[in-house]
Amino acid sequence: MAKGPGLYSDIGKKTRDLLYRDYQTDQKFSFTTYSTTGAVIASSATKKGELLFADVSTQLKHGNITADVKVDTDSNLLGTITVNEAAPGLKTILSTKIPDQRSTKLELQYLHDYAGINASVGLTANPTINFSGAVGSNVASLGTDVSFDTKTGDFTKYNAGFSFTNADLIASLALNEKGSQLSASYYHLLSPLTNSAVGAEVTHNFSTNENTITVGTQHALDPLTTVKARVNNSGKVHALIQHEWRPKSLFTISGEVDTKAVDKTAKVGLALALKP
């Protein structure tokens, strides 16, 4: 297990990755290449219905400084500069999106044996301030996540969470949506050799008194092929198979079926990621 509690975003992350990561109903292609100088150039294209979205990005590293630039088909330019280990355990991130100048923000991440802090502030006249933190250890952690809009003087977000971890089991509890939603999640690693695991997430909405239950599992057929499946209480079943046909190059087929509307056509997604 990792040392320290990690960041607030790590609470419940293992379950979320099991239940939702890599599932999609679109067609996506991505290609990444590396230059002799160490620069990384990547491009991706995603087809959603009749719409096509694409982007091109590059990454340059010098010492502990990393610069990322991405341009997409909507004429947006996203730039990020990351300084790792500016001080022990500290990461500094400066990002901006053009033409949306209000998106410019400065973010600090600090990891300690007993705490993990993430704070960001928009570099505008009336910024939004975000703060999240977790305290504890790699076994148990307690955290909070809040956002404050200095223009309106209101808290736009406040969440809290708790996580318990041992060698093969992770359980977490989170209060989200300004206290109107309670989520409990569970992840259990059954076999490290085959990466077999099961997970579940139960969410209760206090305003509507509705419950959402999602259960999922994964299993490695061989060292290069993994299958996953999940189902929720609304009757939607998802499944995928992912094959690493060469190092870091993945081919994924995923599908979705609504068992309460079997007359509708099943949704199928394809994803191809190439890394030479």
Side-chain angles (χ1 to χ4, degrees):
M1 292 187 291
K3 195 174 183 180
L7 300 174
Y8 178 83
S9 57
D10 294 328
I11 295 178
K13 184 178 184 299
K14 201 75 173 180
T15 304
R16 292 193 300 271
D17 286 348
L18 171 65
L19 296 179
Y20 305 110
R21 186 177 177 181
D22 295 325
Y23 288 101
Q24 64 173 12
T25 55
D26 306 312
Q27 287 73 52
K28 183 176 181 179
F29 172 81
S30 61
F31 178 75
T32 303
T33 186
Y34 304 87
S35 72
T36 56
T37 60
V40 180
I41 301 174
S43 62
S44 68
T46 302
K47 187 175 184 296
K48 296 185 177 182
E50 299 299 322
L51 300 178
L52 180 65
F53 303 92
D55 62 66
V56 177
S57 62
T58 183
Q59 182 183 88
L60 303 173
K61 290 186 178 181
H62 179 72
N64 64 337
I65 301 176
T66 303
D68 295 272
V69 178
K70 178 188 288 187
V71 181
D72 61 28
T73 50
D74 291 328
S75 300
N76 294 313
L77 187 149
L78 177 64
T80 305
I81 297 176
T82 303
V83 181
N84 285 294
E85 295 295 324
L90 180 66
K91 178 187 292 187
T92 304
I93 304 171
L94 177 65
S95 62
T96 187
K97 186 177 182 179
I98 299 173
D100 182 11
Q101 298 179 355
R102 285 184 54 84
S103 65
T104 303
K105 69 176 182 179
L106 177 65
E107 180 178 355
L108 299 176
Q109 293 182 4
Y110 177 69
L111 292 174
H112 185 268
D113 290 350
Y114 303 105
I117 297 173
N118 188 318
S120 67
V121 58
L123 302 183
T124 62
N126 299 293
T128 297
I129 301 173
N130 300 279
F131 174 86
S132 65
V135 295
S137 65
N138 58 344
V139 176
S141 64
L142 178 68
T144 186
D145 179 23
V146 297
S147 292
F148 181 75
D149 190 336
T150 59
K151 183 176 182 179
T152 63
D154 296 327
F155 283 95
T156 58
K157 176 177 65 174
Y158 42 88
N159 305 320
F162 171 79
S163 178
F164 172 80
T165 304
N166 70 10
D168 59 359
L169 183 147
I170 302 174
S172 63
L173 188 68
L175 190 63
N176 300 318
E177 303 296 332
K178 299 181 180 180
S180 66
Q181 187 182 88
L182 181 66
S183 295
S185 65
Y186 166 85
Y187 173 91
H188 187 193
L189 180 62
L190 301 176
S191 172
L193 294 177
T194 59
N195 198 27
S196 299
V198 294
E201 181 183 63
V202 180
T203 300
H204 177 75
N205 192 310
F206 293 105
S207 60
T208 62
N209 203 32
E210 293 181 349
N211 295 315
T212 303
I213 304 172
T214 306
V215 179
T217 185
Q218 71 178 22
H219 176 73
L221 300 176
D222 57 53
L224 301 177
T225 308
T226 299
V227 292
K228 295 175 63 177
R230 80 168 190 257
V231 61
N232 60 25
N233 61 328
S234 65
K236 290 188 177 181
V237 179
H238 298 74
L240 71 78
I241 181 169
Q242 185 176 78
H243 180 68
E244 186 178 10
W245 55 282
R246 58 179 297 171
K248 298 183 180 180
S249 293
L250 303 172
F251 178 66
T252 308
I253 302 177
S254 57
E256 174 190 319
V257 176
D258 189 346
T259 59
K260 295 183 179 181
V262 292
D263 55 317
K264 295 183 179 180
T265 304
K267 298 179 180 179
V268 178
L270 301 174
L272 179 61
L274 301 178
K275 291 187 179 182

